[in-house]
Amino acid sequence: QSSVTLYGVLDIGFGKVKDGKWGMNNGEGYAGTQDGFNSTSVIGFRGTEDLGGGLKANFNLQSGGLDLSTGGTSVAFSREAWVGLEGAGWGAIQLGRSSSIGAKVMGAYDFNGTSYSSAYDRAGISAVTWYGSSRRSSQLQYTSPNFGGVVVRAGFTAKGDEGGVQGIGVPDASKNRYSLGATFANGPLSVSAIAETKSAEGLRTAYAVGVSYDLSVVKLAATYNRRERDGDLTRNYNTFSAGGAAGSGGQLAGGKGWTLAAVAPFGPANVGVAYARNTEADIQALELFANYALSKRTRLYIDFAKGYDQNAITAVNANGRGLASANPYAVGVGVVHTF
Amino acid sequence: QSSVTLYGVLDIGFGKVKDGKWGMNNGEGYAGTQDGFNSTSVIGFRGTEDLGGGLKANFNLQSGGLDLSTGGTSVAFSREAWVGLEGAGWGAIQLGRSSSIGAKVMGAYDFNGTSYSSAYDRAGISAVTWYGSSRRSSQLQYTSPNFGGVVVRAGFTAKGDEGGVQGIGVPDASKNRYSLGATFANGPLSVSAIAETKSAEGLRTAYAVGVSYDLSVVKLAATYNRRERDGDLTRNYNTFSAGGAAGSGGQLAGGKGWTLAAVAPFGPANVGVAYARNTEADIQALELFANYALSKRTRLYIDFAKGYDQNAITAVNANGRGLASANPYAVGVGVVHTF
Amino acid sequence: QSSVTLYGVLDIGFGKVKDGKWGMNNGEGYAGTQDGFNSTSVIGFRGTEDLGGGLKANFNLQSGGLDLSTGGTSVAFSREAWVGLEGAGWGAIQLGRSSSIGAKVMGAYDFNGTSYSSAYDRAGISAVTWYGSSRRSSQLQYTSPNFGGVVVRAGFTAKGDEGGVQGIGVPDASKNRYSLGATFANGPLSVSAIAETKSAEGLRTAYAVGVSYDLSVVKLAATYNRRERDGDLTRNYNTFSAGGAAGSGGQLAGGKGWTLAAVAPFGPANVGVAYARNTEADIQALELFANYALSKRTRLYIDFAKGYDQNAITAVNANGRGLASANPYAVGVGVVHTF
């Protein structure tokens, strides 16, 4: 009677940060909610209805991060909350809250699944977390069909949703926001580009390009990224001093820079490395990871992330996010189960 | 193994109010949570168990309104939360929180699905929102079998649930509350009546009557309604001045008055109009709407609501609800997907 | 595609306490949330994946208590939130939050399902609520296979999870915490023992032993229990005076003592009695109960609990929990539906 699928991702690990003790999901490094060491634990509901004539209606509701170590997280569909229409010939649109176009286009070049140990993010130059979040509220998104390997994605958020209440009292500095991205993928090669316009005066258009090539024994990737803000050190990832907003952390870091990554498969396992350099803010980050798949739905992981010349993650603020410490690191081992 | 059904209603639209900007679910007009422009977005779980001998146990858990534009709503089963028993011969009872008897008996005469644009509600004379809510907590409800077109509904809430904590410290002014309603529906004709007693000294018994007749090319309805309160202008729907309780809004409006409505089907579409006049508070409201069904579960809508001689909806209070503005309106277009 | 099961327990009853009025779930006696008179109303999701070779991955997410009388409870998976691995030969481990080993090993001797009327708990000597909760966060649990009727359970929580944030700032007094329990069950006889080490300096190791024997016409049980704290009267179950922590109530009671219980089946019904005496804190509690099963999933109940020489439950604090009153009681009748 109902075509709804319940799905989820559950991550629980043992971890630690440089000057901390081992514990469950300790050292996740990010938010107050310890919702996984590698991945964000979530549940969700999604469904599709066939409207005939190649047209489909679909929806997705995905919770925010769930903390399995304490269980103390209220369920709100803060990651995906949208309704969409999809046509065989013209692609798909969706209305509501969803992953940003930046996350959808550039996520594939972060080989450890844009994990909490992501070197890109720890150096403040991940296109996934532009503007402080991997999500966009009140967005109209369009995804094209696959044209010979090319998929185009676009997003639009109206100025009336960029502040104020119900479109009243919207700040004068607010602007309509546009995103445009494309990926060409053919055989071993993947190339992508993405840009997102400023949402308010004082910011700049963010853009990124990425490329990956699969040599079978190893897959390589490189990206270049310019964020929406200058590389103001007071807003950098793990700083949280003067300008750092508690709770949103380094996802508000500015700057620009480049990344390199490699991942090698070994049967059901893989091993990888990623390096990111924020040239404007002078931050470097290194990530080492390995995964072992017990099945298609369950894997074990070990992650290590380290920052250099960086104010970082061994002390925490009131939200459990990292404060200053020289050359910090976080290490963890755990299990991710999806359903 | 489990007979549970997951269901939901998801509404996302673009809308605006008189002096505001267009945005997702902007102009919903009501609560702080922008949980739909036309309908309230919810998810729920319901189930039935056959106990044998014609007896069934059933339950329903339905979330409060979910805001798809931002995703930021914690899930609580604040609309339906009850367990019930149902017998072939004697009807059904349910225990817990549910829609009020007023909403169940009179909702059918509000042809746009008691939407957020409801003229009845905007004029403060909808039986759906008596006592400030379409829901009742701690209620025992009874629904009779259908006797030749007649269905009787009754509700009871104990004085011990009308204040205090766990039945201790209940105010002396609290009273047991009773609701009684009935609908006769036969062919094109439907007639209903409903009354709900006061829950505390100082209020009055609320009552309403309604009739609808389906002429096939058009369906007509009229209702008359007396609320639990006098038509004190300071408590009117969109006023929120002196006496208006923030967050509960015009659902606390008083007064009495009448409504007229018409809806005409055009294949998978319909077009309708509703008018409501609160004679005691001197408020009028007009509603125009159209729906186009893409399928049984997905429809597009356009809604327009306007108030006359009314302090209304273009400015908002801290909860995003309307403050004073002359002859306000709200207009929106969107999609409702059910599953 | 998904092997997830949605399950739940829904309890709604009419109840009252000594000086209070009858109402829905009034007199539950415990927490601010009136989430059932007999049982805690919850929903949950659980699933199992076959990994091959006798290995399984599984998970469980179970909400905190849901208040059906008002519906006003946000859903958070605060009772069960874990991922586990299970092997045919070696048993099962799980990582995250779950019921304590004490609850799992000793719950079976509380014949009314460790209900809110539990005499054991009302006297402050239930192994289910040691350390103020029937749950443990950040715990690694192990359950052995059944060896000729013997099942062993063990739990471990790292010091790094016993305070501080992400393992930083852990108090010096914190300790690794260990639990060890075992049950031997064979035919009519069941014998169990359980101990849990102190989590911080100043506490003591808690332990309990229990035995039950099923004579067919009646089943009998006896337990002995020493809590983690002295029997300080200011922390007793319903006291909430000087040392009582609001919200955690008598589950922080100290002391030691013994319990006796009997339950007799009558076809689909049962009738039972339990008595508990906290010898260190000088509290006694009596519980009378009866259940009638309409089916395997739905039952009616009547519960009565009374304390003697006890400061108790007729007045309530800000969280709706009992304050002082001599020889208090609570009585209720209701329905529990599981799915």
Side-chain angles (χ1 to χ4, degrees), chain B residues 105-159:
Chain B
V105 169
M106 297 297 293
Y109 305 104
D110 195 342
F111 288 152
N112 198 21
T114 64
S115 84
Y116 280 130
S117 299
S118 169
Y120 303 4
D121 202 29
R122 296 200 170 218
I125 49 171
S126 175
V128 173
T129 51
W130 282 346
Y131 298 90
S133 175
S134 60
R135 310 285 149 176
R136 295 292 176 272
S137 288
S138 300
Q139 196 169 52
L140 166 64
Q141 288 195 359
Y142 167 74
T143 306
S144 77
N146 188 317
F147 294 117
V150 174
V151 173
V152 177
R153 291 174 183 273
F156 169 72
T157 303
K159 184 179 179 174

Side-chain angles (χ1 to χ4, degrees), chain B residues 1-2 4 45 49 51 57 59 61 74-78 81 83 95-97 137-140 160-161 165-168, chain C residues 5-6 10 17 20-24 26-28 34 43 68-71 73-75 295 297-298 314 320 337 339:
Chain B
Q1 177 266 359
S2 171
V4 185
F45 306 98
E49 182 194 15
L51 301 173
F59 74 91
L61 298 170
S74 287
V75 175
F77 299 117
S78 56
V83 173
L95 300 167
R97 182 169 167 89
S137 288
S138 300
Q139 196 169 52
L140 166 64
D161 284 319
V165 177
Q166 300 227 33
I168 296 170
Chain C
T5 298
L6 170 61
L10 301 178
V17 291
K21 293 184 193 309
W22 285 87
M24 282 198 188
N26 281 357
E28 182 208 270
Q34 289 175 242
I43 61 161
L68 300 192
S69 59
T70 66
T73 324
S74 288
V75 174
S295 74
R297 288 170 41 199
T298 306
T314 47
H337 178 65
F339 58 89

Side-chain angles (χ1 to χ4, degrees), chain C residues 82-258:
Chain C
W82 52 263
V83 173
L85 292 172
E86 188 176 346
W90 54 267
I93 58 166
Q94 62 186 56
L95 300 167
R97 182 169 168 88
S98 184
S99 296
S100 66
I101 303 295
K104 289 177 177 173
V105 169
M106 296 297 292
Y109 304 104
D110 194 342
F111 288 151
N112 198 20
T114 64
S115 84
Y116 281 130
S117 299
S118 168
Y120 303 3
D121 202 29
R122 295 198 170 219
I125 48 170
S126 174
V128 173
T129 51
W130 281 348
Y131 298 90
S133 175
S134 60
R135 310 286 150 176
R136 296 293 178 270
S137 288
S138 301
Q139 195 170 52
L140 167 64
Q141 287 195 358
Y142 167 74
T143 306
S144 78
N146 189 317
F147 294 116
V150 175
V151 174
V152 177
R153 292 174 183 273
F156 169 72
T157 303
K159 184 180 181 174
D161 285 318
E162 293 281 1
V165 177
Q166 300 227 33
I168 296 170
V170 176
D172 287 343
S174 296
K175 292 183 167 299
N176 290 333
R177 189 194 293 195
Y178 304 89
S179 301
L180 184 64
T183 295
F184 168 74
N186 195 339
L189 177 68
S190 167
V191 182
S192 294
I194 163 75
E196 184 166 5
T197 62
K198 59 186 165 188
S199 58
E201 293 296 342
L203 299 177
R204 62 192 186 190
T205 293
Y207 67 83
V209 292
V211 58
S212 70
Y213 198 87
D214 192 345
L215 297 163
S216 294
V217 294
V218 64
K219 188 175 178 181
L220 305 173
T223 73
Y224 183 80
N225 190 316
R226 190 182 80 162
R227 294 210 46 147
E228 71 280 7
R229 297 174 190 276
D230 283 332
D232 175 3
L233 275 167
T234 62
R235 296 187 75 91
N236 283 336
Y237 175 34
N238 295 298
T239 307
F240 291 94
S241 49
S248 51
Q251 300 189 341
L252 287 174
K256 57 188 176 184
W258 49 270

Side-chain angles (χ1 to χ4, degrees), chain B residues 264-275:
Chain B
F266 296 94
N270 71 15
V271 175
V273 58
Y275 171 81

